[in-house]
Amino acid sequence: MKPYFGLKGNWLTFWVSVACCTDMTLFGYDQGVFGGVNVTDDYLDTLGIRNNSSLLSTITAIYDIGCFFGALSCMWFGEKYGRKKTILVGTSIMTVGAILQASAFSPAQMIVARIIAGVGNGMNTGTAPVWQSETSKANLRGMLVVIEMVLNIAGFSLSNWVTYGFSFVGGPVSWRFPIAFQLIFIFILFGTVPWLPESPRWLMAKGRIAEAEQILADVDNKEVDDPFILQQSNEIQYAIRREREDSVSLSKLLWASITRRKTPATEGNKGQHVLRRIALGAGTQAMQQFSGINVTSYYLPYVLQNSVFTNLDPQTANTQSRLLAACNSVSYLFFGSLGIPIVERGGRRFLMMVGAAGQSFCYLMITVLLRYNQPQFTYANQVAEASVAFFFLYYVFFGFGWQGVPWLYPTEINGLGTRTKGAAIGTATNWLVNFIVVEITPPAIDNLGWQFYIIWTVFNAAFVPIVYFLYPETAGRTLEDMDRYYREDGGNFLVWRDADAIGRKRPRKYIEYEESEVRRHSSVISTKAARQAVDAVEKEKLGSQRMENVLFMVTLKSGTSFPSRSLSVVSSDDPGDNQHYF
């Protein structure tokens, strides 16, 4: 049977994307399902956590600690065993966690189950974007990773509608079934990942060059000796050699940056700016979480009940909160999809800056409106309800600006030797900050009220200048272009005046370099082909000469007399005229 069932080109990319998108859909579903579970009566009574916001937040947030350690494990496990095996192991761990969550009867069991599920999800989310990036064409990479994150929103939306629908059922099934539903995505992962190609860049790092080049050719639907494939292969191998020559552990790099001590290893990495690139990637993940997204992703029904619908009876507030959270998820999905066509055209920097500015404005309006949601104000109910529009609008800006880019950026900004580590550290940063936000939200709402939202207003406003001054553009660049930028151009710390760093289009010098390399490999192939043709002719001549010598020796041995002619073999087209002359 042919590898990948004979699929090549766009179809092969499509199925890799199906696996990665399923992984991120599972992540979104798992992230959103507890938003509805946390306001389900049977769940609160079964676990005995009603009116205990601290334990409620701990059970919800402890999942992120598992994700944190799962993401960190990718630095070792993912580098040693590859992208596919990491995802399969992570999915297996998630299976155990999902079953334990759906069957929980105590806070202790639920906490253990959430940690286990988190470890598996951390491994998957730390690996899937890297796998997608390393098996995609440069012009599709951004779009495909953003599609992953849009389907992450789809999973989030689905979880909101499932929990809303089952809220009318009542009893244990109202929360156990929504938790168990994630097993469907797990089965899809087990059915797709095993037969798909491994990352060609990881294979080359392990010395499996021929296998990697074949995958590069299959992904581009070209022959393995095509000049473009050879140019890609040489670029990747050069990057691997450079990374290995300059290889040094992250702990040594960090210690050297703190103490300012220079060693041969750290001096070799100076031209690669490893720590800065890791920090930039992890920074996008930290900013995504400090934007306040999981104040609402994990707790939107809770937030609406306790910050907006405070003047309604509990049952009405519960139903309206669930319904609005579900409707908001559809709006979130729609506007998140807008990031697909503009992530390459607009660039990463533009999306992050516009998104952060819009999010800051929304939280500012939410803060002001909830300030007047107090009984002493005449129009308290109307003002509180008006704030719902800005929760919706917040998701519009986050959906196209910050949903996908923070997952894409660490896989693009880091070099090959640190890409797995950089993505793992970035994902771990996401989960660690996520834990902080999710852990503090219920108690903070109870104690700070409307003032809690000032925090997210300030954070989002600060992200605009941070991105503008510090973050280089990665849209339109190959992964090797970014290595060249830091290696040859010095990688300016403040990038806002560097046209090559902030331009939305690929710098011309990188295009010219790639074209020259393709021409060089084309000439090498042409020379090689010509040499092979000459060798074939010479081989044929040598074979003919050997035949003549053999026949001549036979005539000498037999004593047969032949006309004196030049030693050549002549054969006519007529079968009856096949006579040999010597």
Side-chain angles (χ1 to χ4, degrees):
M1 182 181 292
K2 293 182 179 180
Y4 330 125
F5 297 101
L7 295 176
K8 292 186 177 182
N10 289 338
W11 275 111
L12 186 56
T13 301
F14 170 79
W15 280 105
V16 172
S17 300
V18 166
C20 292
C21 288
T22 301
D23 197 352
M24 301 311 282
T25 304
L26 172 59
F27 164 36
Y29 185 90
D30 230 21
Q31 192 175 30
V33 71
F34 259 70
V37 169
N38 280 331
V39 291
T40 301
D41 289 336
D42 188 81
Y43 167 76
L44 298 173
D45 294 335
T46 301
L47 270 64
I49 56 175
R50 185 181 292 277
N51 299 322
N52 190 340
S53 61
S54 296
L55 186 54
L56 175 74
S57 64
T58 299
I59 291 174
T60 306
I62 202 69
Y63 173 78
D64 299 323
I65 294 297
C67 291
F68 170 78
F69 286 109
L72 284 181
S73 72
C74 294
M75 289 196 295
W76 171 78
F77 193 94
E79 203 59 47
K80 183 174 183 179
Y81 295 105
R83 318 308 188 214
K84 287 173 55 179
K85 287 183 179 178
T86 302
I87 290 176
L88 288 171
V89 170
T91 304
S92 300
I93 294 172
M94 284 196 78
T95 305
V96 176
I99 293 171
L100 288 175
Q101 286 181 84
S103 61
F105 280 94
S106 68
Q109 181 180 342
M110 184 60 80
I111 288 172
V112 171
R114 295 280 288 169
I115 293 173
I116 292 173
V119 170
N121 190 51
M123 294 178 73
N124 284 5
T125 55
T127 305
V130 177
W131 187 33
Q132 179 78 81
S133 295
E134 292 183 339
T135 53
S136 303
K137 301 176 186 178
N139 64 324
L140 295 176
R141 186 178 63 242
M143 182 184 71
L144 291 174
V145 174
V146 170
I147 288 174
E148 285 183 26
M149 301 318 299
V150 169
L151 287 172
N152 170 269
I153 302 172
F156 172 77
S157 178
L158 179 62
S159 69
N160 276 275
W161 284 107
V162 169
T163 53
Y164 174 67
F166 275 83
S167 68
F168 296 100
V169 177
V173 72
S174 63
W175 62 276
R176 295 189 189 276
F177 180 87
I179 292 175
F181 188 82
Q182 63 189 282
L183 290 170
I184 292 176
F185 304 111
I186 289 172
F187 295 149
I188 294 173
L189 285 171
F190 281 132
T192 54
V193 173
W195 60 270
L196 290 169
E198 181 55 89
S199 161
R201 288 168 172 82
W202 179 82
L203 289 170
M204 284 191 183
K206 297 301 178 183
R208 294 155 65 176
I209 307 298
E211 187 179 348
E213 288 180 339
Q214 186 61 59
I215 293 173
L216 287 173
D218 290 340
V219 168
D220 276 284
N221 200 18
K222 298 179 185 293
E223 296 300 322
V224 74
D225 59 355
D226 185 278
F228 181 74
I229 300 302
L230 294 178
Q231 185 267 337
Q232 272 193 308
S233 176
N234 284 347
E235 278 277 295
I236 296 169
Q237 290 181 65
Y238 175 78
I240 292 171
R241 287 195 300 272
R242 183 62 188 256
E243 293 283 358
R244 286 176 176 169
E245 289 169 3
D246 300 339
S247 178
V248 63
S249 69
L250 292 177
S251 59
K252 289 181 180 178
L253 279 173
L254 184 60
W255 178 248
S257 68
I258 295 172
T259 61
R260 302 295 182 183
R261 292 178 60 189
K262 298 181 179 179
T263 67
T266 56
E267 281 294 289
N269 267 279
K270 187 176 180 180
Q272 294 293 327
H273 301 278
V274 173
L275 280 179
R276 188 197 308 172
R277 295 163 76 178
I278 290 174
L280 287 171
T284 60
Q285 294 278 23
M287 287 188 288
Q288 185 198 55
Q289 292 306 309
F290 278 127
S291 73
I293 180 60
N294 281 317
V295 171
T296 53
S297 289
Y298 278 83
Y299 295 117
L300 187 54
Y302 185 93
V303 167
L304 293 175
Q305 277 187 239
N306 292 275
S307 292
V308 178
F309 300 131
T310 54
N311 298 316
L312 299 179
D313 66 272
Q315 186 58 45
T316 303
N318 185 291
T319 302
Q320 287 199 14
S321 298
R322 286 176 181 270
L323 180 59
L324 284 172
C327 291
N328 175 68
S329 69
V330 176
S331 170
Y332 182 23
L333 176 60
F334 174 78
F335 287 102
S337 301
L338 294 180
I340 297 174
I342 64 175
V343 67
E344 295 297 344
R345 296 178 186 176
R348 322 304 189 229
R349 285 166 48 87
F350 174 77
L351 292 183
M352 287 193 288
M353 287 188 290
V354 172
Q359 290 162 192
S360 180
F361 170 74
C362 291
Y363 265 121
L364 175 63
M365 295 304 299
I366 289 169
T367 302
V368 171
L369 291 170
L370 292 183
R371 165 68 180 85
Y372 293 99
N373 183 25
Q374 305 294 329
Q376 66 268 29
F377 295 108
T378 306
Y379 297 102
N381 290 344
Q382 291 83 346
V383 168
E385 290 170 1
S387 70
V388 174
F390 290 97
F391 280 108
F392 274 63
L393 185 60
Y394 170 85
Y395 274 93
V396 171
F397 286 106
F398 183 87
F400 75 79
W402 283 89
Q403 173 65 14
V405 174
W407 294 94
L408 173 63
Y409 201 86
T411 69
E412 296 180 319
I413 195 68
N414 287 294
L416 178 62
T418 55
R419 188 167 298 134
T420 300
K421 294 183 180 71
I425 290 172
T427 306
T429 301
N430 180 293
W431 291 118
L432 184 61
V433 180
N434 195 337
F435 169 77
I436 295 170
V437 173
V438 176
E439 176 70 20
I440 68 171
T441 293
I445 290 174
D446 291 347
N447 292 286
L448 296 178
W450 63 270
Q451 298 174 73
F452 176 60
Y453 301 100
I454 297 175
I455 298 170
W456 317 113
T457 304
V458 174
F459 273 139
N460 280 287
F463 298 155
V464 178
I466 289 173
V467 173
Y468 180 74
F469 287 108
L470 301 182
Y471 277 80
E473 184 58 72
T474 59
R477 280 78 164 166
T478 67
L479 299 177
E480 288 66 42
D481 284 346
M482 299 310 299
D483 282 334
R484 190 172 296 109
Y485 168 72
Y486 280 99
R487 185 173 62 246
E488 297 176 1
D489 297 345
N492 295 319
F493 181 75
L494 295 175
V495 301
W496 61 293
R497 290 183 176 177
D498 187 340
D500 287 339
I502 65 175
R504 297 180 189 178
K505 294 183 179 180
R506 188 183 186 192
R508 183 64 196 171
K509 63 182 181 181
Y510 297 154
I511 298 173
E512 291 173 352
Y513 173 80
E514 184 176 83
E515 289 174 348
S516 68
E517 287 296 294
V518 171
R519 284 195 298 271
R520 186 172 68 84
H521 287 297
S522 296
S523 65
V524 169
I525 289 177
S526 299
T527 304
K528 183 180 178 182
R531 188 176 294 113
Q532 288 175 341
V534 170
D535 291 344
V537 171
E538 292 296 328
K539 191 174 182 181
E540 184 178 355
K541 287 182 179 179
L542 181 60
S544 299
Q545 185 64 49
R546 284 175 177 170
M547 183 184 293
E548 293 168 4
N549 291 341
V550 169
L551 292 174
F552 183 69
M553 293 302 295
V554 170
T555 62
L556 291 177
K557 187 174 182 179
S558 62
T560 306
S561 177
F562 292 92
S564 177
R565 302 187 62 164
S566 63
L567 292 178
S568 61
V569 178
V570 179
S571 178
S572 71
D573 293 333
D574 185 357
D577 196 30
N578 280 344
Q579 301 178 26
H580 300 279
Y581 298 91
F582 298 86

